[in-house]
């Protein structure tokens, strides 16, 4: 079991416009993607990995010119890893509207010759899946062995199972939800308001002005980050530890500062994470992705009935959730499981007792990794002529 | 049982500087307060009500020139109400640093002749209690029948029991905590960052500039507000209801807007609350109060041992919490109860099954009101010569 090593992204250009759920379309776009492993002769061992809010096509491995830039699910995908690239041909694709390579708000709008900015159309999970399906067409993959994702990525996997039921044999939905709650939407809207009211945002057209709404992005990330961590984990890691007390290691040196600088470790941590994020992430992308999250609700066109929404699915499912995830709690995953069971779909459900909240889906919990590994063993056993892979 | 009717605030000026926990002092300050009911001849029926983040001395009744300005705990305090003003002499006092009357950042700093702004010293719960004690001195009240508060107000009541054990017979701590968790501090710091990075904040000295950091305050309030409501209550009240669908009442009219305006009712509600708040609340006050919350930790000077921190208390206690309060959960109240029980204090603990989250302490839950009423009946029975009141 090792890392996949050095990888390189590829781009695929699409000249035919993509019709969007908003009623508009995106013409002339590019998708950036990476692949790991080898597609077998039968083209039956392909796995699509869908990414969440701040991730990308760079799922595993590193880059020759940036060895520290390790893929976001490198612990999950690689030779001998749960998603074993000695067996499977794994594709990571960057979603439209992202700031990591695929066409997004910072790219030039061919209609105006200027960056899209606010003119970039809002995207839905379904739009992303449409674009991913076109990429699969081009790669000659009629049916995936599995489509898999965590959080927002899990929504895409679920959407695949609904929109293209014949194009995936397995659907793997981790730490996700069939729709956001009012509280989820509320946190997203706080983040959006922070960005939209940042004077450096300039209504989305900040690229030409040479500004970046860093303060808004920082606050947006801070509030998001709180929802990714469990209360218990935050208490254990940070508690009420004071930053200076920790730095000096002197227990007595624990006085409050009585200003608005950093008193507590948790403040230092969150501000640092917020600052870092605001330096690499795009504000328009953040807004767009939070709206895609808010809008996802496949039961909506079925009068809110998730069972009916999932009636046409054909895949087998692995659904996994984490006990301390309060962003998308196990209860939300159970809604998916119950709707699938009502449809007599074959479902494996794992509710993993893990302390790390929503972020657990990215981390190395042995039970979690074991569940995914066992499930992929099953996927592998179902692939005919596996020796030829 | 009726409203207390028309009331009027009073001010009390203090020329002697107040030493503060930060090591500085506040010289020459004014406290604004209101009283309801009549102090008896023995001065034994006084109740002090401590306020939380966005409240004030205006606990009950209305103002002659503003009949809609009803006190924030008018359901709790009045003739025949749980805190019965036919029996008790109730005092509401506005804390220093507030924006509702007592000396605060927007008032003139005598040292400079300009508004304090950023120069206003940070305050702690203990500092507020010191100021309240001085007010009690002036009013000739040696011992309160009870000191009572919810949330941040409950911290003040708890601090009274520690700092002035002989000056209160009963301590009533509702929906509070002996200290903030890392998650609580994190949410406060998000709010602070939103305000501090608003260009209209001008390092706290925005009064002279004629600006108000409304955007920052709005975001701060929105994130705070989410933590006051329970997840379930938000789901029930708002769910994924779309604003236009609700307005038109037409079920089919439920299309997403595909812009960053308002799609969901919860967005509309939170933005409205945030806007309203930013129009009346002061940014420096908000910052100051969140720091007072963060800093409160009476066990800190006892090596984190709350039992030792409460060892010197003499009061009897009522502690109450609400099942769906995730800001200061019942578990946090139980920590107080356990520390009091370890000290063999007399404690009544009520964990009230209520759907409204942290905000429940302000609302009319009949079980909650019943518990407080019964407890005040007991306080009343313990007052000698009560017929003379």
């Amino acid at each position: 079991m090792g890392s996949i090593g050095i990888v390189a992204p590829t781009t695929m250009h699409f000249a035919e416009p993509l019709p969007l759920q908003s009623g508009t379309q995106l013409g002339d776009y590019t998708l950036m993607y990476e692949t790991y492993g080898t597609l077998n002769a039968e083209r039956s061992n392909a796995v699509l990995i869908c990414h969440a809010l701040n991730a990308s096509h760079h799922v595993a491995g590193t880059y020759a010119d940036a060895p520290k830039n390790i893929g976001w699910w490198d612990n999950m995908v690689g030779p001998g890893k749960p998603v074993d690239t000695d067996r499977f041909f794994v594709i990571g694709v960057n979603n439209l509207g992202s700031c990591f390579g695929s066409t997004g708000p910072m790219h030039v709008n061919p209609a105006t010759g200027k960056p899209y900015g606010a003119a970039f159309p809002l995207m839905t999970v379904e739009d992303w899946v449409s674009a991913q399906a076109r990429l699969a067409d081009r790669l000659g993959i009629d049916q995936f062995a599995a489509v898999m994702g965590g959080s927002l990525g899990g929504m895409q996997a679920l959407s695949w199972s609904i929109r293209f039921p014949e194009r995936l044999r397995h659907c793997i939905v981790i730490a996700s939800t069939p729709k956001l709650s009012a509280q989820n939407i509320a946190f997203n809207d706080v983040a959006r308001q922070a960005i939209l009211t940042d004077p450096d945002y300039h209504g989305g057209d900040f690229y030409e002005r040479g500004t970046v709404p860093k303060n808004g992005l920082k606050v947006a990330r801070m509030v998001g980050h709180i929802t990714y961590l469990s209360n218990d984990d935050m208490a254990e890691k940070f508690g009420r530890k004071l930053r200076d007390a920790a730095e000096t290691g002197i227990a007595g040196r624990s006085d409050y500062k009585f200003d608005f600088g950093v008193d507590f470790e948790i403040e230092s941590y969150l501000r640092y994470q917020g600052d870092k994020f605001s330096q690499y992430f795009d504000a328009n992308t953040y807004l767009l992705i939070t709206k895609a999250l808010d809008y996802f609700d496949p039961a909506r066109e079925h009068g809110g009935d998730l069972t009916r929404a999932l009636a046409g699915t054909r895949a087998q499912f692995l659904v996994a959730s984490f006990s301390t995830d309060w962003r998308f709690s196990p209860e939300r995953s159970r809604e998916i499981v119950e709707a699938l069971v009502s449809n007599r779909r074959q479902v494996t459900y794992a509710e993993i007792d893990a302390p790390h909240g929503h972020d657990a889906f990215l981390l190395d919990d042995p039970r979690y990794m074991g569940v995914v590994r066992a499930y992929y063993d099953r996927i592998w056993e179902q692939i005919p002529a596996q020796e030829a892979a």
Side-chain angles (χ1 to χ4, degrees), chain A residues 175-177 184 321-335 349 351 358:
Chain A
S176 194
T177 176
N184 293 148
S321 68
F322 300 95
S323 56
T324 58
D325 183 351
W326 63 281
R327 180 177 172 86
F328 300 150
S329 71
E331 192 187 345
R332 316 308 311 276
S333 284
R334 273 184 250 128
E335 291 170 31
Y349 176 53
E351 196 166 306
H358 188 62

Side-chain angles (χ1 to χ4, degrees), chain A residues 67-81:
Chain A
K68 287 185 180 170
N69 186 354
I70 299 167
W72 58 272
W73 230 352
D74 191 75
N75 56 342
M76 183 67 86
V77 174
K81 292 187 177 170

Side-chain angles (χ1 to χ4, degrees), chain A residues 73 76 174 322 352 360-361 363 365-372:
Chain A
W73 230 352
M76 183 67 86
I174 300 170
F322 300 95
I352 293 149
F361 88 89
L363 302 174
D365 183 274
R367 279 165 297 190
Y368 166 43
M369 290 290 153
V371 163
V372 176

Side-chain angles (χ1 to χ4, degrees), chain A residues 74-107:
Chain A
D74 191 75
N75 56 342
M76 183 67 86
V77 174
K81 292 187 177 170
V83 184
D84 188 347
T85 51
D86 290 337
R87 293 173 165 179
F88 295 100
F89 176 67
V90 178
I91 304 170
V93 55
N94 189 214
N95 286 325
L96 289 168
S98 169
C99 49
F100 294 125
S102 294
T103 302
M106 69 298 303
H107 293 128

Side-chain angles (χ1 to χ4, degrees), chain A residues 52-256:
Chain A
L53 200 150
N54 68 328
S56 72
H57 51 281
H58 187 36
V59 175
T62 62
Y63 294 140
D65 59 350
K68 287 185 180 170
N69 186 354
I70 299 167
W72 58 272
W73 230 352
D74 191 75
N75 56 342
M76 183 67 86
V77 174
K81 292 187 177 170
V83 184
D84 188 347
T85 51
D86 290 337
R87 293 173 165 179
F88 295 100
F89 176 67
V90 178
I91 304 170
V93 55
N94 189 214
N95 286 325
L96 289 168
S98 169
C99 49
F100 294 125
S102 294
T103 302
M106 69 298 303
H107 293 128
V108 170
N109 180 350
T112 64
K114 292 195 288 186
Y116 278 103
F120 196 83
L122 287 193
M123 297 269 158
T124 63
V125 166
E126 287 76 11
D127 293 331
W128 287 333
V129 167
S130 299
Q132 291 160 5
R134 284 191 176 184
L135 178 66
D137 293 343
R138 289 274 196 95
L139 296 175
I141 297 162
D142 291 335
Q143 188 184 59
F144 285 103
V147 178
M148 173 181 188
S151 191
L152 176 57
M155 293 176 181
Q156 293 160 55
L158 194 63
S159 181
W160 263 95
S161 77
I162 296 167
R163 301 198 48 228
F164 301 107
E166 308 295 346
R167 297 195 70 173
L168 67 167
R169 294 194 297 282
H170 292 271
C171 178
I172 302 176
V173 180
I174 300 170
S176 194
T177 176
K179 63 185 181 207
L180 260 59
S181 68
Q183 191 188 67
N184 293 148
I185 295 171
F187 280 124
N188 279 346
D189 202 46
V190 168
R192 282 192 293 266
Q193 292 302 310
I195 293 170
L196 293 167
T197 62
D198 185 325
D200 287 333
Y201 178 65
H202 293 296
D205 296 320
F206 53 88
Y207 311 107
E208 305 157 78
R209 309 249 189 164
T211 64
V212 173
K214 279 195 181 181
N215 290 329
L217 260 173
K218 177 182 176 180
V219 168
R221 180 58 168 181
M222 286 175 74
V223 72
H225 205 102
I226 297 174
T227 69
Y228 305 150
L229 305 181
S230 77
N231 190 10
D232 286 354
D233 198 34
M234 228 186 220
E236 181 156 326
K237 273 194 196 134
F238 303 101
R240 295 180 55 84
K241 269 187 284 211
L242 295 168
R243 191 176 63 162
D244 280 357
E247 275 175 358
T248 63
I250 302 162
R253 183 72 212 294
S254 62
D255 285 334
Y256 294 149

